[in-house]
Amino acid sequence: MSAVTVIKNEPLGFGFISPQFLPPGMNEYYLRNQQNQKPEGYYRHLTAKEIEILVKNDNTCDNWDHILVSQRFDPHRIAKSEFYGLVRIGALEELSLRHHDLMLPAGITSSRIISSDLGDNVAIHNVQYLSHYIIGNDCILFNIDEMNTTDHARFGNGIVKEGEEEGTRYWIDVINETGGRSILPFDGMIPADAYLWATFREDTELMDRFFRFTQESYDLRRGYYGTVGDNTVIKSCRIIKDVKIGPYCYIKGANKLKNLTINSSSEEPTQIGEGVELVNGIIGYDCHVFYGCKAVRFVLCDHSSLKYGARLIHSVLGENSTVSCCEILNNLVFPTHEQHHNNSFLTASLLMGQSNMAAGATIGSNHNSRANDGEVVAGRGFWPGLCVSLKHSSRFASFVLIQKGSYPAELNIPFPFSLVMNNEKEGRLEVMPAYWWLYNMYALQRNAWKFRTRDTRIRKIQHIEFDYLAPDTVEEILDAMALLEEWTGKAYLSVHPENKESLRTRGRRLLLEEKDSLREIPVYGERMENSHRPVLILKPAEAYRAYREMLLYYGVKNLLDHQEESAPPTFDAWVESLNSCTQSRLFPQGRTSPGRENGWYNLGGQLVPGFKVKQLLADIREGCLTSWRDIHQRYDQLWEEYREDKLQHAFDILQILYPEKFDLEVWRTMLKEAEEIQEYIRNGVRKSREKDYENPFRKRIFRNDAEQKAVLGSILDNSFVKQVEVETRQFNERLAKAGFGGGFYATK
């Protein structure tokens, strides 16, 4: 325990920078002056009359010559305050500042100010200790116990200042509790950065580059002051130390804020609320942290919220996420994550976005080895249901829904859009591939719409793919279809060993043409659970056909977009433009053979072909990209190219489904099938939502149908159902125009 040091004959407010860290010819204010640049003559000394008024108002100062003020300075607006060191005060005029229901006069009362710069017309009242801060214009600081900056403040960045030991640097242990994937936070970090740093650990040269990019992004000299941007309100807080606060920020009732950057702007203001304790972190623009939340060693990305006692520790939480009443430890979570429940727990995981955790879910909380080195990796749309308990190490494809249950062993679920069930009565794991498409179309369609419409970011630094049908999920579908073919063929062979066809050929025929034959033949998965229990695949034929529909729908939608953008006069002209777009990219740098790109990466929500990620890493390693700014610019470039990358991929997928020559007749066949799929989507959205209105148990809580309609409305009133009806009509109109005259679409 450190003791109180007694200091004699050393004036308070001076010696902020130790002499050994001062450049030759510089004083302790040289960095402060760079941070708060004012024109020559802006500040002046106090007049004798002003000093007299200040003293009469019960103000004290060790030396009034150290107080500098602007021309529009009214000494009557300062009372019962103490000043130490060099204090510079902007305009103080006869006016008041209002924020919501709080209105305070501009001025300084009952406060202790140490070596700080105060902007124009600030309202600083009852601030017990304000030291080494630069306060912007029109700010309110009210009822604050301590607001202090040290000479070695890092403001949440994972750097070390001059003269500091390496051991003082703080890391964030994402994904793995042992620190094997540790990253250094920095202002402006997005999930893509964290993912690259945490994933490619075997590349020591790459790791060294990331380390140096972070360390070299900041001025390591000692002596920077904490800053508070214009129009910021801070009230009823206890301790604020080494915090950089942006403009238009609102902080109220915080217990402790230490070593932070809090980004904020007039367009995207950030708010920090009651009982909050935040230490060692970066907070993005338009974030909200309220009601007793705790966060330590963290990055909270733009437009995200922590509420109601949430704990975020050693984690990066992506954009547009909301977390409340729960605990999140050692995670990298991509954008649009939802977790709202007091008894949910998430640890040592990589969640790739659009995820939702229900009450009672404990993900990775059961250590089933001697060390806490397990991990959970889940693709987009991960959704563990009520009271789900999962063990490390497990992996899940995209859009996996897990039914309530305590799962006894590690899982590997390769089927996207599937439902996973722990059937304890039968002693087996059950998986229904394509469940979302088959039985929960409303949620699938609405989630994609919801994520997109709720993305109100002005600064879209992290690019995000919101569509549930995209290259990552499509590649998972192809892998899942191959497994269904193989395992179905094995199931049939176990009953008919005389069959000589290959497993996949026989399985494909059964799944497509002989569905009835599978009703009596159970299909079992392999290598999906680390146990001796069987894994039963439910409805394999229905899932296989659903997967095929999803592939075709994905392909047609993307080609349709290209056709409408290019506006070709004839089908042949369109095919020529389509071929020129895709063939020119058939052998891009890094690719050694033709064919589709099947190794897509999810970089924090942005999908990138594998060969381009490989080139990105090579450019970092070889010095072509020399900073995080350069890397972010490459992300932007990759995002601009993504539309064509996805178009090529979609064209490749359609050629897998229809390997014959791509001519007008084949295209019209695809359009007709897409129209049927869109109708299936429309009906699926309506039917899956209609269940909520027709459920007899729901009906029993109402006296009659009229009361139910008054409370819930009807299916016809549902705004999203109406929206899908409109989208279906518009999509069919697009299809009708896409057939280039003649044939089915010309006569509709």
Side-chain angles (χ1 to χ4, degrees), residues 263-282:
N263 289 294
S264 182
S265 69
S266 58
E267 297 85 6
E268 299 175 294
T270 288
Q271 297 184 30
I272 310 292
E274 298 84 350
V276 166
E277 297 173 9
L278 309 176
V279 179
N280 297 340
I282 305 294

Side-chain angles (χ1 to χ4, degrees), residues 499-661:
N499 190 278
K500 301 301 181 183
E501 291 179 295
S502 69
L503 292 178
R504 289 190 57 183
T505 300
R506 184 58 190 166
R508 188 181 306 115
R509 184 176 301 165
L510 285 165
L511 292 165
L512 288 175
E513 302 171 10
E514 303 175 33
K515 173 183 174 182
D516 293 340
S517 302
L518 291 177
R519 291 180 178 174
E520 304 301 325
I521 305 175
V523 176
Y524 293 101
E526 301 174 4
R527 304 173 300 278
M528 295 178 66
E529 185 179 60
N530 188 21
S531 74
H532 298 293
R533 297 197 306 171
V535 180
L536 182 65
I537 306 300
L538 303 178
K539 299 183 180 292
E542 291 87 342
Y544 190 85
R545 281 191 287 274
Y547 280 150
R548 188 189 180 282
E549 291 173 353
M550 297 168 84
L551 293 179
L552 186 129
Y553 191 68
Y554 163 77
V556 169
K557 281 186 66 177
N558 281 280
L559 262 67
L560 196 61
D561 290 342
H562 176 264
Q563 185 191 98
E564 291 171 347
E565 290 175 3
S566 58
T570 65
F571 177 81
D572 290 339
W574 177 50
V575 172
E576 184 177 351
S577 69
L578 189 63
N579 283 330
S580 65
C581 174
T582 59
Q583 291 300 321
S584 64
R585 304 164 66 80
L586 202 55
F587 291 97
Q589 187 176 4
R591 291 273 292 277
T592 57
S593 62
R596 80 177 194 281
E597 174 58 51
N598 60 2
W600 290 75
Y601 282 87
N602 183 344
L603 301 187
Q606 176 178 356
L607 303 183
V608 181
F611 71 91
K612 291 190 174 183
V613 173
K614 181 180 178 181
Q615 187 61 50
L616 166 65
L617 300 181
D619 288 345
I620 296 171
R621 198 182 302 110
E622 294 166 10
C624 301
L625 304 177
T626 60
S627 67
W628 286 113
R629 181 187 296 274
D630 290 346
I631 294 174
H632 285 195
Q633 290 176 348
R634 177 64 64 84
Y635 294 155
D636 294 340
Q637 176 187 334
L638 293 172
W639 185 248
E640 292 174 1
E641 298 170 358
Y642 175 58
R643 195 172 186 86
E644 288 191 1
D645 291 334
K646 187 162 61 169
L647 173 63
Q648 178 184 359
H649 186 260
F651 194 35
D652 291 339
I653 295 301
L654 290 178
Q655 290 177 318
I656 292 174
L657 298 178
Y658 287 90
E660 59 268 25
K661 181 182 178 182

Side-chain angles (χ1 to χ4, degrees), residues 373-432:
D373 54 3
E375 300 176 7
V376 170
V377 178
R380 292 192 292 141
F382 181 59
W383 197 324
L386 295 169
C387 299
V388 163
S389 178
L390 298 176
K391 287 190 172 184
H392 293 120
S393 291
S394 294
R395 179 178 288 272
F396 301 91
S398 300
F399 293 92
V400 171
L401 175 63
I402 306 175
Q403 192 184 66
K404 176 181 179 180
S406 180
Y407 290 79
E410 303 93 321
L411 297 175
N412 175 36
I413 307 300
F415 294 106
F417 307 99
S418 62
L419 173 64
V420 179
M421 295 166 283
N422 181 28
N423 190 332
E424 294 182 345
K425 181 179 178 181
E426 299 295 335
R428 68 192 181 205
L429 184 71
E430 297 179 350
V431 179
M432 186 186 299

